[in-house]
Amino acid sequence: MKFPKFADLILFENDDVIVVNKPPFISSLDERGEGSSEISMLRLAKAYWDDAQICHRLDKETSGALIFAKNPEAYRSISIQFEKRKVKKVYHAVIDGTHTFDNLLVDLPILNVGKGSVTISRQEGKRAETWFQSLKYYKHYTLVECRPITGRMHQIRIHLATQRASIAGDEMYKGEPVFLSKIKRKYHLGKDQEELPIMKRFALHAYEVTFRVNPETEVTIHAPYPKDFETLLKLLDKFDS
């Protein structure tokens, strides 16, 4: 995999913060136990700016807006905003099936059971809230806006799964990959050809983030879709609308 230049990913930068459009398949932090050869967003950021600190995380497969602080004061300020739920995050997801979510609030507590997996537990889980709004309907899928209020691991993914609306391609939560043969009529594969999914990951993108860069100034940074997400939507527009 070819690694992007960090500078090319920057959506916003000032003296205190950098917001980048994280590509899919790169971890936010160095992954434990994978040896030190695995590249991470934090490592790319530090090569660009020595004191860079990451302010939150996105799953490895998730693309989109990711905030770095350039100095300890900025890191402290943004961390407090996250703690107090002052950072507004908007994600876009393509989900299995046609679902009409009209400002639906899912507030099921999430328990981290270790080894990178979580479950819903009303007894032991931590508070978790996500708002969902359907943006566009297809025959077999829906484009949904997701606004997490809390920041639990896999929160959007498991909250959608509880609505029988798993993210397309999210096999951990029973999401099916999208194949062209499912949406395109008279689609023929060549002999001995194996069909690959349109997207090689689950369809989740951190579309927008809003936070204060200083007490007076709030910024909203919008992260354009990466190529794979854009291609999926174009094909759904063409063959599944």
Side-chain angles (χ1 to χ4, degrees):
M1 178 179 163
K2 201 164 136 286
F3 288 108
K5 274 206 181 86
F6 188 80
D8 294 342
L9 304 174
I10 294 173
L11 299 167
F12 173 88
E13 182 177 7
N14 67 7
D15 293 343
D16 297 310
V17 297
I18 307 166
V19 183
V20 297
N21 194 354
K22 172 190 161 323
F25 307 115
I26 300 181
S27 302
S28 294
L29 298 164
D30 288 355
E31 292 181 323
R32 279 192 293 261
E34 288 222 359
S36 57
S37 62
E38 179 84 10
I39 195 88
S40 70
M41 289 307 297
L42 181 59
R43 211 179 274 207
L44 291 172
K46 281 186 175 296
Y48 174 84
W49 189 269
D50 281 349
D51 295 333
Q53 279 182 286
I54 196 164
C55 298
H56 59 123
R57 291 181 206 186
L58 293 175
D59 289 340
K60 188 172 182 174
E61 286 186 37
T62 306
S63 53
L66 188 62
I67 308 170
F68 292 90
K70 291 168 86 171
N71 54 61
E73 294 76 27
Y75 179 72
R76 207 162 33 245
S77 158
I78 293 164
S79 297
I80 288 166
Q81 291 178 61
F82 269 107
E83 252 168 64
K84 294 187 167 172
R85 320 255 185 258
K86 297 280 191 221
V87 179
K88 295 191 202 80
K89 295 165 288 179
V90 176
Y91 290 74
H92 284 185
V94 175
I95 56 173
D96 291 340
T98 303
H99 299 270
T100 309
F101 296 145
D102 185 11
N103 252 347
L104 169 76
L105 173 64
V106 177
D107 57 353
L108 296 166
I110 293 173
L111 177 67
N112 188 335
V113 288
K115 290 198 175 140
S117 73
V118 300
T119 185
I120 299 290
S121 168
R122 290 180 192 277
Q123 284 73 41
E124 299 166 70
K126 287 185 171 167
R127 191 180 125 221
E129 296 173 11
T130 320
W131 292 90
F132 295 104
Q133 178 71 41
S134 298
L135 296 176
K136 190 161 191 184
Y137 303 102
Y138 298 98
K139 282 184 198 141
H140 301 94
Y141 301 94
T142 312
L143 175 65
V144 176
E145 178 182 277
C146 319
R147 298 190 309 279
I149 306 304
T150 47
R152 308 287 170 222
M153 186 167 126
H154 296 190
Q155 177 174 316
I156 293 171
R157 297 164 63 189
I158 197 167
H159 273 176
L160 280 167
T162 66
Q163 305 306 302
R164 296 206 169 96
S166 298
I167 297 175
D170 192 359
E171 287 171 8
M172 186 179 241
Y173 298 103
K174 299 190 167 59
E176 302 279 330
V178 186
F179 290 100
L180 195 53
S181 57
K182 181 176 173 182
I183 59 172
K184 187 179 178 184
R185 285 176 60 193
K186 300 192 176 113
Y187 176 81
H188 294 298
L189 258 186
K191 194 171 176 274
D192 300 330
Q193 270 188 309
E194 189 196 347
E195 190 184 1
L196 295 170
I198 295 168
M199 251 179 114
K200 295 179 174 65
R201 62 178 178 115
F202 52 79
L204 181 63
H205 176 69
Y207 184 73
E208 208 174 74
V209 67
T210 302
F211 63 102
R212 291 201 171 276
V213 282
N214 57 48
E216 295 79 49
T217 317
E218 188 176 76
V219 294
T220 295
I221 313 297
H222 160 238
Y225 294 144
K227 208 169 180 177
D228 61 352
F229 201 97
E230 206 175 307
T231 300
L232 174 61
L233 289 177
K234 273 184 184 151
L235 290 169
L236 290 176
D237 282 338
K238 192 170 176 184
F239 299 118
D240 203 49
S241 54

